[in-house]
Amino acid sequence: MTECYIEDIGKHVGEQVTLKGWVYNSRSSGKVKFIIFRDGTGMIQAVLAKGETPEEDFAKFDQLTQESSIIISGPIKEEPRAEGGYEMMVKKLEIVQVSTDYPITPKEHSTGFLMANRHLWLRSTRQYHILRVRNEIIQAIRQYFYERGYVLIDTPILTGSIGEGASTLFETQYFDLGKAYLAQTGQLYLEAACMSHGKVYCFGPTFRAEKSKTRRHLTEFWMIEAEVAYLDLACDMDLQEDMLCYVVEWVLEKASEHLVALERDVMPLLSVKKPFHRISYDEAVQKLQGAGSQIQWGNDLGGEDETILTKMYDRPIFVYNYPRDAKAFYMKRNPENPKTVLCADLLAPEGYGEIIGGSQREDNYDYLVEAIQRYNLPLEPFGWYLDLRKYGSVPHSGFGLGVERTVAWLCGLPHLRETIPFARTLYRLYP
Ligand code: 4AD
Ligand code: MG
């Protein structure tokens, strides 16, 4: 008998097939028994009926519990009333293992309980669909860069040079060489690589010892970063805009089934079209103060501020040229106002806020030395980074997109914890 996956079941109508998977749910009405069966690619209704299913296999139904692993075989027919639109009449049922007392039952559970059982919670439909959307987002971005000739550069996870700032570092002793840090970003290494390849990107886990508990922060998250030589901030924003429109279109096309299952209203996603709004930090502060925010010129935008701002617009917005003291050391000073830097954050609509941080990089050797010192960072570990400003320095820019925040936005989720298979937060290291 042909073995297949439920995702391909439509090609096997009228044939006998074998499916390997798990019992999602089951019910019985006398002589007919139903299994909602899942195999990792979808769900199908499997029917056991007296007279149709051999006696011995029919009897096995009584042993089945939620998440028992089973192998079933039988003919497939279309059944519009069943989940997924198809149905199997079971002619053979093999029990691989009977699962006992599966902890996640169809009743309501607290989030804490579900997170503690994340290794099992992954099997629930909602979680299944979220990770399928995540998969498409990542694939879209890889494809976007590949099609445009960007070279993937794998940047190190263990680093000696602080990438973003000293306040959120995870550190470890590195043999006799002193402290090593878990990478907060791959950017500094991308800057080196873009001087060789012109257009580069990286995609990897990044780490921030975020000591506050917020719905927008994880201690380990995945970031896609790009870096381009001879690119200024305005063109950097063009690039981000173009990439994001590509990703949203891809997800709407390839993951619509999952968005529907998540009950994501796709109307707001349909208006993610170029051009995005671009407002200066100064304007943003004025608008926010007008809307009752306590923000003062000089502060970074808080999560609340971003929420207020994005609710004023129907599509993503760039906020550019922040005060230098609110941002990282590597950003290029604004020649028109040295108190600000040439940077932009991209805020996602519907209250989601920052999903991308980007900037033009300081390409002047002396200004960069001064910036490193102003941030009280040691100069020596940045020797190699400063070299890039000595040997053919050019204007260059890039950005980093937080994968989990993008997943949260596109799926319409309030919290980052469900956007990554195993979330790492202040209070969670298991499972
Ligand atoms: O704004 P950030 O800190 O920028 C950088 O790391 C730059 N080096 C990127 C670059 O220019 N190459 O982080 C970029 C994005 C944020 O916009 C956010 O989406 C995400 O990374 N992010 C986090 N996501 C989850 N948890 C955290 N603790 C995050 N910190 C940043
Ligand atoms: Mg940022």
Side-chain angles (χ1 to χ4, degrees), residues 102-104 111-123 127 218-220 417 420-425 427-431:
Y102 187 70
I104 303 176
T111 308
F113 176 84
L114 291 169
M115 285 304 286
N117 285 284
R118 182 66 174 166
H119 53 298
L120 304 174
W121 192 24
L122 289 181
R123 304 181 195 187
Q127 304 310 313
L218 298 168
T219 56
E220 179 179 300
R417 68 189 155 220
I420 184 166
F422 295 95
R424 294 289 171 255
T425 61
Y427 299 114
R428 190 157 302 284
L429 191 55
Y430 300 100

Side-chain angles (χ1 to χ4, degrees), residues 10-177:
K11 297 180 203 144
H12 297 279
V13 173
E15 291 170 29
Q16 306 254 351
V17 300
T18 296
L19 296 171
K20 298 179 168 177
W22 297 264
V23 175
Y24 191 72
N25 214 334
S26 60
R27 70 196 145 83
S28 162
S29 60
K31 294 199 173 77
V32 189
K33 317 230 178 243
F34 298 94
I35 301 169
I36 304 301
F37 176 93
R38 60 170 196 89
D39 75 345
T41 73
M43 300 252 203
I44 190 169
Q45 173 163 287
V47 183
L48 291 83
K50 273 235 153 79
E52 295 267 4
T53 308
E55 208 47 52
E56 176 198 357
D57 295 283
F58 189 83
K60 288 181 192 163
F61 179 88
D62 295 334
Q63 293 178 56
L64 297 183
T65 55
Q66 190 188 346
E67 289 306 315
S68 286
S69 38
I70 59 173
I71 299 173
I72 52 176
S73 305
I76 301 298
K77 68 165 189 169
E78 281 185 67
E79 176 48 78
R81 286 167 302 173
E83 160 120 37
Y86 299 95
E87 186 179 85
M88 174 190 277
M89 176 54 71
V90 177
K91 297 288 182 188
K92 187 162 182 271
L93 189 159
E94 182 190 332
I95 297 177
V96 180
Q97 195 217 12
V98 172
S99 161
T100 37
D101 301 330
Y102 187 70
I104 303 176
T105 56
K107 67 163 200 193
E108 286 270 323
H109 294 286
S110 72
T111 308
F113 176 84
L114 291 169
M115 285 304 286
N117 285 284
R118 182 66 174 166
H119 53 298
L120 304 174
W121 192 24
L122 289 181
R123 304 181 195 187
S124 300
T125 30
R126 234 179 106 69
Q127 304 310 313
Y128 170 89
H129 289 295
I130 293 169
L131 293 189
R132 290 289 171 133
V133 175
R134 179 185 171 105
N135 180 47
E136 290 300 340
I137 291 171
I138 292 169
Q139 191 60 33
I141 297 176
R142 285 188 182 284
Q143 189 63 25
Y144 179 86
F145 285 125
Y146 188 75
E147 280 171 3
R148 286 158 186 76
Y150 282 68
V151 176
L152 174 69
I153 300 292
D154 298 310
T155 55
I157 302 299
L158 285 167
T159 74
S161 322
I162 296 174
E164 288 293 323
S167 63
T168 59
L169 288 171
F170 281 110
E171 45 176 75
T172 180
Q173 182 62 33
Y174 195 77
F175 306 110
D176 296 332
L177 296 183

Side-chain angles (χ1 to χ4, degrees), residues 163-164 184-188 190 202 206-210 214 216-227 236 327-328 330-331 344-346 353-359 361 397-406 416:
E164 288 293 323
Q184 296 170 307
T185 170
Q187 179 196 318
L188 275 48
L190 279 190
C202 66
T206 42
F207 305 87
R208 310 259 171 110
E210 302 280 359
T214 83
R216 288 178 180 169
H217 292 91
L218 298 168
T219 56
E220 179 179 300
F221 64 97
W222 287 69
M223 184 157 49
I224 293 189
E225 297 181 84
E227 197 70 31
D236 192 15
K327 291 290 176 189
Y330 51 69
M331 295 182 180
D345 280 357
L346 180 70
E354 182 191 341
I355 58 169
I356 296 183
S359 63
R361 321 306 189 185
S397 302
F399 65 88
L401 167 134
V403 170
E404 290 73 22
R405 292 202 189 163
T406 308
L416 287 197

